[in-house]
Structures are given as structure tokens and as C-alpha cells.
Amino acid sequence: MLRIEALPEPSRTMALAAPLIATGITILISSLFFLSLGFNPIDTLHGFFVQPLMSLNGLSEWLLKASPLIIIACGLAIGFRANVWNIGAEGQLILGAIAATGIGLFAPWQDSVFLLPSMIAGAIMAGMAWAAVPAFLRSRMNTNEILVTLMLTYVATLFLSYLVHGPWRDPAGFNFPQTALLPYKATFSVFDHSYRLNSSIFFAIAAVIITWFFLERSFLGFRMSVGGVAPNAARYAGFRSSTAIWVGLLAGGAAAGLAGVGEVAGPLGQLSAHISPGYGFAAIIVAFVGRLHAVGIVLGGLLLSLLYLGGETVQLQYGLPSAIANIFQGLLLFFLLGGNFLINYRIRRIR
């Protein structure tokens, strides 16, 4: 008979090494997968992890794709530290993108320098408002925030589809499900017109700094961390669980909304039915690869961004399906969660 027991003191060294081990096992399993398809695993892995970074355009796209992942993961990490599981960042990103586009297209101050700041503020508030729904239901009715945030993502996706196929569709857009282009003052400035990297990347830098200070140096961040590790001790000390729920979910919603305006006012310049390739879900992996630490999230965001770029490269070069990047993400999350389980628990055989 087997029994699962919690370890009295998990290994800190293994906790830090788990993301590296999970990444290594993912690469090994993926190599076998490529080999079974008849591809040289070394060449394929080179196309995944090296070739996208061999040009300035590749480096630009690498940082551009890492930016929303890092921003969203920073917001999610605040809630995850307190065991508040926001799985609906994708929907919150969509709502932020919708709010930003609505302000950018229909606000009466089209030529004002305040147009872009108002879009940023509107996107953040829209993401927070979408996250406030599960926060209210969890704190008042004790509903499961995992299910509520996930279901609201589908609502946001359908609402986006209605807008770009209906009232917001560009009449000069050849019937494509997208809005008109945003005006010039509603977009972020690029560093070089030859590349798509723009000034929205500074939001990622600010998010990392704010997250590090909040989690490592603020009293509220300490309370949320204690509530996640030892909820009974937190209640005994007078830390209210409802505060952690609201702060955790609103932080995730604000970060996702900010990432949403970074997409529509950045590389895309308009709202479309496919505003995000799954950044809200991939950011969950980024947060756990980074061990819910601000510096680790930067490394995790760069890794997942490279997987997106690598997936596009091998799709063009070897004809592999675009879903290959999702396979990488799924394997990485699977082995990472397995590593976390083995760090915190052990399986004993008893008679």
C-alpha cells in the first residue's frame, strides 16, 4: 500500500533547481518526439532555441513577446503566493484590449496627448473589473475562483467576437473580423521602424520592480505569503483572507489589462478576433517556472517567448504544425508540477 506524506521541510535547493530540471526533461522528451516524426532532433532544437535569436529582428520579437508574458505573470504571482488561483488572465487581457480600443477609436479627444494614457487607465480598470467578479463571488459566497475566472474567459472571448464581427468591424477591412486601425496618438512609439519592439516594454520592467518590492519588501505582500504557506497561522495573526482574495485577483486583472493595451496599441495597432495567442494561459507557466519570484518570472517569460518564436520558425522551416509550441508548454508545465509535488511530498510504501 502506498501513502503520500507531506515533507516537514522541503528542500530549498531542489525548489530552485526544479524549473531547470523540468526544462531539461522537456527538451529530452521533445527530442524523442521529433525523432519519431523523422526529424533530426539537434537541427529541430537549433531551430527552436537558437535560430530565432540570430538576427536583430528575432531579438526584437523575442523581447516583444516576452513583455506581456512577464507583465501578466507578475500580477498572477501576487495572487498565487496567497493561494488565490486566477486562471482567467486571458479573459482579463481581452477586456483590457477591448476597453483600450474603444477609447482609442471613439473618444472625442483623438488628437490629445492624453489619449494613450486614458487607454492605459481604461484597460487596467477593465481588467480589474473583470477580475472583481470572481473576487466578489469567492469572498462573499465562497465560490471556486478557478472555475469562475476560467468561465469568464469564454464570455470575454465571445464578447470580443461579437464586437469585431459586428458593430466594431472595419467597413473598409474586406470583411475581416477586426476594427479600424488606431490613430497615431493611440499607439506606442517604436524604437526603430524596421522592428516592432516599442515603448510598451517599459511596462514589463516596471511590473517586475513593483512585484519584487510588493512581495519581498511590503507588509501586505508578507501577509499574503504567510496566508498562502500557513493559512491557520495567518488567521491566528488576524490576517483576513478576503483581503488576499481581492488583492490577488485585482492585481492579476490589472496586469492582464495592461498587457491587453500593450498588444492593441503596440505591434497590432487594432483589435482583432485573435488579439492574444494565449498569453494569459502561458503566463501561468511563466509564474511557476519563475517560482513566483520577480527575477525568476523574467527568465520564465524569456523562455516561453522563445518557445513561441521557435514554434513559428520550425513551422516555416520544417513544416511542423504551429501547435508544437503548445506541446512544449504542456510538457514543461506537467514536469514542473510533478517536480513541485516531489519537492513537497514523498510516497511511502507501508505494510
Side-chain angles (χ1 to χ4, degrees):
M1 180 178 178
L2 299 178
R3 183 171 66 184
I4 299 175
E5 296 179 348
L7 292 174
E9 186 175 355
S11 172
R12 184 175 179 83
T13 302
M14 289 304 299
L16 295 175
L20 298 177
I21 296 173
T23 303
I25 298 175
T26 300
I27 293 175
L28 177 61
I29 299 298
S30 300
S31 300
L32 298 176
F33 174 71
F34 293 140
L35 189 62
S36 68
L37 294 177
F39 295 97
N40 187 325
I42 297 179
D43 293 340
T44 311
L45 290 174
H46 181 273
F48 241 104
F49 296 104
V50 179
Q51 191 171 339
L53 306 181
M54 295 179 64
S55 65
L56 287 177
N57 182 66
L59 292 172
S60 170
E61 291 295 313
W62 183 38
L63 297 177
L64 184 69
K65 292 182 181 298
S67 178
L69 292 172
I70 293 172
I71 292 173
I72 300 172
C74 284
L76 295 180
I78 294 176
F80 290 169
R81 280 280 190 100
N83 286 337
V84 178
W85 306 107
N86 181 3
I87 312 298
E90 183 78 2
Q92 294 148 22
L93 181 153
I94 291 172
L95 258 292
I98 291 173
T101 304
I103 295 174
L105 290 178
F106 306 114
W109 52 91
Q110 293 285 304
D111 296 326
S112 173
V113 295
F114 297 106
L115 179 61
L116 185 57
S118 62
M119 291 170 58
I120 297 171
I124 292 175
M125 289 189 290
M128 294 176 66
W130 206 243
V133 176
F136 175 80
L137 295 176
R138 167 70 190 276
S139 61
R140 295 286 182 162
M141 305 176 186
N142 200 30
T143 58
N144 190 315
E145 74 275 13
I146 296 176
L147 294 177
V148 176
T149 53
L150 185 60
M151 293 300 104
L152 284 175
T153 298
Y154 294 103
V155 176
T157 303
L158 292 174
F159 181 52
L160 170 65
S161 179
Y162 162 73
L163 290 176
V164 297
H165 284 90
W168 285 12
R169 186 172 59 186
D170 183 11
F174 301 100
N175 213 30
F176 285 102
Q178 60 190 25
T179 65
L181 290 173
L182 291 169
Y184 175 76
K185 289 189 178 293
T187 57
F188 293 103
S189 59
V190 296
F191 299 110
D192 190 321
H193 290 284
S194 300
Y195 311 108
R196 299 198 303 164
L197 187 64
N198 55 75
S199 56
S200 65
I201 194 174
F202 293 118
F203 289 141
I205 299 174
V208 171
I209 295 173
I210 293 172
T211 301
W212 177 84
F213 180 82
F214 180 83
L215 293 177
E216 307 298 331
R217 290 293 182 267
S218 72
F219 181 63
L220 180 57
F222 169 75
R223 289 172 55 179
M224 295 183 67
S225 298
V226 171
V229 175
N232 293 331
R235 283 193 293 269
Y236 180 78
F239 299 164
R240 297 179 58 186
S241 61
S242 60
T243 301
I245 293 169
W246 279 98
V247 173
L249 287 169
L250 292 183
L258 183 61
V261 68
E263 289 298 296
V264 294
L268 301 179
Q270 61 185 160
L271 186 67
S272 67
H274 305 287
I275 186 64
S276 168
Y279 287 143
F281 296 116
I284 300 172
I285 304 176
V286 172
F288 281 104
V289 168
R291 311 304 298 175
L292 306 184
H293 191 280
V295 177
I297 285 172
V298 174
L299 301 177
L302 293 174
L303 174 62
L304 266 291
S305 172
L306 187 57
L307 291 183
Y308 276 114
L309 279 181
E312 296 172 358
T313 302
V314 297
Q315 181 185 7
L316 295 174
Q317 188 168 348
Y318 299 104
L320 290 171
S322 59
I324 196 71
N326 295 332
I327 295 176
F328 262 96
Q329 293 178 14
L331 287 173
L332 182 59
L333 180 60
F334 176 79
F335 290 121
L336 186 64
L337 293 177
N340 287 343
F341 175 81
L342 295 176
I343 290 170
N344 294 282
Y345 299 91
R346 64 182 174 187
I347 302 175
R348 292 187 59 187
R349 184 177 181 182
I350 59 175
R351 297 182 180 179

